[in-house]
Amino acid sequence: MAKNTPRFVCQTCGSVTSKWSGRCDGCGEWNTIVEEKPLGTGSGKGALGKGRGRAMVLSDLSSPEAPPPRRRCGMDELDRVLGGGLVAGSAILVGGDPGIGKSTLLLQAAARFAQNGLDVIYVSGEEASAQVRMRAQRLSLDRAPVRLAAETNLRDILTTLEAERPDLVIVDSIQTMWVDQVDSAPGSVAQVRAAAHELTSFAKRQGIAAIMVGHVTKDGQIAGPRVVEHMVDTVLYFEGERGHQFRILRSVKNRFGAADEIGVFAMTGAGLSEVPNPSALFLAERGAPAAGSVVFAGIEGTRPVLCEIQALVAPSPHSQPRRSTVGWDGGRLSMILAVLEARCAIPFAGLDVYLNVAGGMRITEPAADLAVAAALLSAREDAALPHDTVVFGEISLSGAVRPVSQAESRLKEARKLGFTGAIVPEGGKLPEGGDIGLTRMGSLAAFVGEIFGAG
Ligand code: TYD
Ligand code: MG
């Protein structure tokens, strides 16, 4: 882009356009596009040519490489999400809504890493050291050997880190950091990008692990964590419903481990406590058998998690019936409703449909299709499914129920929690259920016939 052309950048997703518009084409957010000065274009004139750089050292794929050493903090829920511990020289982004508990989580992690012998520096750009210290006292972590600083100037931070050489630095948050070479306000896309880039490359050069916090923002005043996702090795999101005490740490990208791994925590008066058995917790609030309630046996990362799917179907007073979901994709709900309508002749026209995953959990697995369909049918027919039965299976547009991965671990978890029956896909490799009675379904129509007596 020529030097003088104006440059407009979306503060949420970082899309660049040459003219301003009210809505970003990249992410669909409104009022997030602002004009920015272009980034430096480098000193050289003309194209990069041969003879200008240094020769690189090339190696082949079979060069021996030891797996990276991992340092664990002892909070299993966090260590697992990191891929089995912290890797030296890696950059990690922890995103989440303001107030969800990111600072609390990272202060607890800092203390645990420090107690395990790591040299940890916690840099807060949002709170004064006294505030961080007060939180540490509240969490009874004030004796942990974590070193604190309240600073926003990245140059000063990197100079200090270079002298101190810690094992881990935590920067809370990347949006408050300020790089003096970049001529725009802290929190803008240019600043956040530059700060994250400087910090990441510094961490890699020095072998220091860096964890940075990024607030998810809706109003576009400051850049969201998405603009730095591609720079870091690991992206974790800390999510949860404000009204619920459960918090889920989810890895959406991990160069050193499995993505989609989750860690479950509960926010208490004394900070975050680990929830080693989330299934029991998600099912704890389940009452007597009720229409519209179905237990789905899911897999999150490497771990089976059982959760309750609730549906409510009611005649709609509106000409356009409502379709509302919490914790499940709205498009996927429409698809299942369409399949029920087209393949099983069960119409939902004129009916409001509400679908909710209990406990603040968010499910993205297609394996939950059959459980969602079961909840919808059960709510529509006002007939409860057997209370001690789990359901899983993917539904295709043809109405077939398709096998899903890791059926064995799903059943094992169900057995552990005392379930005695499972409604599962027909095809695929499926073990005998043992003490769990398996009901195998080849199609959604068969399911409707068997469970609800031909609808
Ligand atoms: P915080 O970690 O400051 O959130 P973030 O850094 O993501 O903005 O957490 C803020 C909320 O957590 C605050 O509303 C109070 C609550 N909280 C507790 O419930 N218990 C605790 O022990 C602590 C430290 C915070
Ligand atoms: Mg915070």
Side-chain angles (χ1 to χ4, degrees):
M1 206 177 282
K3 247 194 172 149
N4 298 329
T5 12
R7 200 181 120 96
F8 295 89
V9 182
C10 170
Q11 303 290 298
T12 302
C13 73
S15 304
V16 181
T17 51
S18 57
K19 69 180 204 303
W20 188 87
S21 82
R23 184 165 191 247
C24 171
D25 286 337
C27 62
E29 293 286 338
W30 289 91
N31 290 329
T32 58
I33 296 186
V34 296
E35 182 171 0
E36 276 193 2
K37 293 229 165 100
L39 291 172
T41 48
S43 56
K45 284 203 180 79
L48 290 169
K50 64 175 182 183
R52 286 169 191 269
R54 265 176 300 163
M56 300 184 296
V57 181
L58 301 171
S59 61
D60 59 38
L61 290 170
S62 64
S63 304
E65 192 85 57
R70 306 242 179 205
R71 302 297 299 264
R72 304 176 69 93
C73 69
M75 289 163 88
D76 284 340
E77 297 296 303
L78 177 61
D79 286 333
R80 198 185 47 252
V81 175
L82 287 172
L86 193 67
V87 177
S90 65
I92 298 156
L93 173 72
V94 178
D97 289 328
I100 203 75
K102 299 180 295 299
S103 304
T104 309
L105 176 72
L106 291 181
L107 187 60
Q108 287 183 248
R112 300 293 287 267
F113 276 119
Q115 283 159 350
N116 283 359
L118 266 71
D119 182 8
V120 184
I121 293 186
Y122 186 106
V123 184
S124 179
E126 310 220 321
E127 294 159 308
S129 297
Q131 270 173 297
V132 180
R133 231 173 274 128
M134 257 164 60
R135 176 177 296 138
Q137 261 158 25
R138 176 169 171 192
L139 302 173
S140 320
L141 295 173
D142 44 335
R143 304 179 73 91
V146 176
R147 292 188 288 167
L148 278 185
E151 182 57 70
T152 57
N153 184 336
L154 198 69
R155 192 188 287 271
D156 294 349
I157 294 172
L158 296 189
T159 307
T160 313
L161 294 179
E162 187 142 27
E164 298 289 336
R165 298 294 189 114
D167 300 305
L168 167 65
V169 59
I170 293 174
V171 173
D172 185 3
S173 67
I174 196 70
Q175 282 123 339
T176 53
M177 293 298 135
W178 172 65
V179 179
D180 49 18
Q181 288 147 304
V182 176
D183 183 19
S184 64
S188 62
V189 168
Q191 277 290 0
V192 169
R193 232 187 233 149
H197 179 255
E198 289 295 326
L199 187 62
T200 306
S201 43
F202 176 84
K204 295 228 178 296
R205 268 200 316 275
Q206 307 280 336
I208 297 173
I211 301 182
M212 49 195 121
V213 172
H215 294 294
V216 171
T217 60
K218 296 260 164 6
D219 60 3
Q221 289 303 303
I222 50 176
R226 300 225 350 232
V227 302
V228 298
E229 276 185 356
H230 64 282
M231 288 180 210
V232 296
D233 300 305
T234 303
V235 178
L236 311 179
Y237 275 95
F238 203 38
E239 22 183 81
E241 300 285 324
R242 276 295 178 82
H244 280 289
Q245 86 188 114
F246 313 127
R247 300 282 183 271
I248 293 169
L249 185 67
R250 185 185 294 273
S251 79
V252 297
K253 161 180 171 181
N254 195 349
R255 289 188 184 140
F256 300 110
D260 275 335
E261 195 68 72
I262 64 165
V264 183
F265 298 86
M267 180 64 93
T268 68
L272 290 157
S273 63
E274 295 180 72
V275 177
N277 186 353
S279 301
L281 181 129
F282 289 134
L283 296 181
E285 291 163 14
R286 207 158 67 108
S293 152
V294 169
V295 176
F296 165 56
I299 298 279
E300 294 289 341
T302 55
R303 186 164 61 162
V305 175
L306 265 48
C307 56
E308 184 191 0
I309 295 180
Q310 305 165 339
L312 177 68
V313 176
S316 178
H318 312 289
S319 58
Q320 184 94 33
R322 286 198 64 133
R323 302 282 181 255
S324 166
T325 59
V326 177
W328 174 257
D329 179 47
R332 197 100 196 154
L333 172 67
S334 307
M335 185 204 99
I336 292 170
L337 290 173
V339 174
L340 281 169
E341 202 149 344
R343 308 291 175 196
C344 312
I346 298 180
F348 281 84
L351 297 172
D352 283 339
V353 175
Y354 300 89
L355 192 83
N356 178 26
V357 180
M361 183 68 185
R362 188 165 60 82
I363 302 180
T364 49
E365 260 194 303
D369 289 352
L370 190 59
V372 169
L376 293 171
L377 285 166
S378 159
R380 187 180 184 282
E381 304 299 315
D382 197 21
L385 243 68
H387 196 57
D388 46 9
T389 298
V390 298
V391 180
F392 59 86
E394 182 176 344
I395 295 173
S396 68
L397 289 180
S398 67
V401 177
R402 287 207 298 239
V404 299
S405 61
Q406 304 189 50
E408 185 131 18
S409 10
R410 297 175 199 265
L411 291 174
K412 205 169 138 202
E413 179 80 356
R415 193 173 304 130
K416 209 168 84 189
L417 283 142
F419 286 83
T420 54
I423 300 175
V424 300
E426 198 167 63
K429 275 197 314 231
L430 205 66
E432 272 314 308
D435 42 356
I436 286 203
L438 298 186
T439 313
R440 296 169 196 256
M441 294 294 165
S443 71
L444 196 52
F447 174 77
V448 172
E450 176 125 348
I451 308 293
F452 297 100

